[in-house]
Amino acid sequence: MPIKYNVIERGQPGVTGGGTKKWYAIVANDGELTVDDLTKQIEKFSALSEADIRGVIIALENVIQDNLANGKIIRLDKLGSFYPSLSSNGAATAEEFDSTLIKSAKVNYRPGKRISNVLKTATFKKV
């Protein structure tokens, strides 16, 4: 199934008034999957019950949250990795830096090779 897309007109970044505008592709999301949807699909490939699958997904979410909050990288083999990152203001010296300069923390995701590779062979359809 192809990835559906639309086109939008955008100006040049950093140019007052947008500069020369061009048309670019953006993904036209084709719905979303909930834990219920994932559970039903996983059930087809597994001998586990719906309750077992749901329990594992919820437990995985909890374990990932706890470990990210402790600064750990979560490697899920072929699925990819989740890791924390920070955004902060700068200090003139390392000694002057303290945690009050940290603005925010966020979660980054780096897909595994199989997930990255599937998008290399994707097809596209304009909607």
Side-chain angles (χ1 to χ4, degrees):
M1 187 176 216
I3 295 174
K4 296 176 183 169
Y5 70 94
N6 288 315
V7 292
I8 61 166
E9 188 177 29
R10 288 190 178 152
Q12 291 175 287
V15 176
T16 306
T20 304
K21 294 186 178 184
K22 293 184 180 179
W23 292 85
Y24 298 90
I26 60 167
V27 172
N29 290 317
D30 195 14
E32 62 183 39
L33 294 177
T34 64
V35 170
D36 287 340
D37 299 324
L38 292 171
T39 300
K40 288 174 186 164
Q41 288 188 19
I42 292 169
E43 213 174 2
K44 295 174 187 175
F45 298 99
S46 167
L48 298 174
S49 71
E50 178 181 348
D52 291 336
I53 295 166
R54 179 177 291 284
V56 169
I57 291 172
I58 292 167
L60 178 63
E61 177 186 3
N62 292 333
V63 169
I64 288 173
Q65 287 174 12
D66 289 346
N67 284 285
L68 284 172
N70 288 313
K72 302 251 188 270
I73 296 170
I74 315 302
R75 295 198 195 282
L76 298 173
D77 292 334
K78 296 173 184 167
L79 185 60
S81 301
F82 295 90
Y83 58 97
S85 68
L86 301 175
S87 174
S88 71
N89 292 318
T93 66
E95 292 76 26
E96 290 179 41
F97 191 93
D98 66 20
S99 63
T100 62
L101 293 173
I102 297 173
K103 296 190 292 186
S104 64
K106 68 177 188 172
V107 177
N108 291 319
Y109 169 70
R110 181 173 291 132
K113 279 195 182 278
R114 288 177 63 185
I115 291 177
S116 293
N117 288 341
V118 75
L119 293 179
K120 290 178 183 174
T121 60
T123 59
F124 306 97
K125 179 181 178 184
K126 188 175 180 181
V127 292

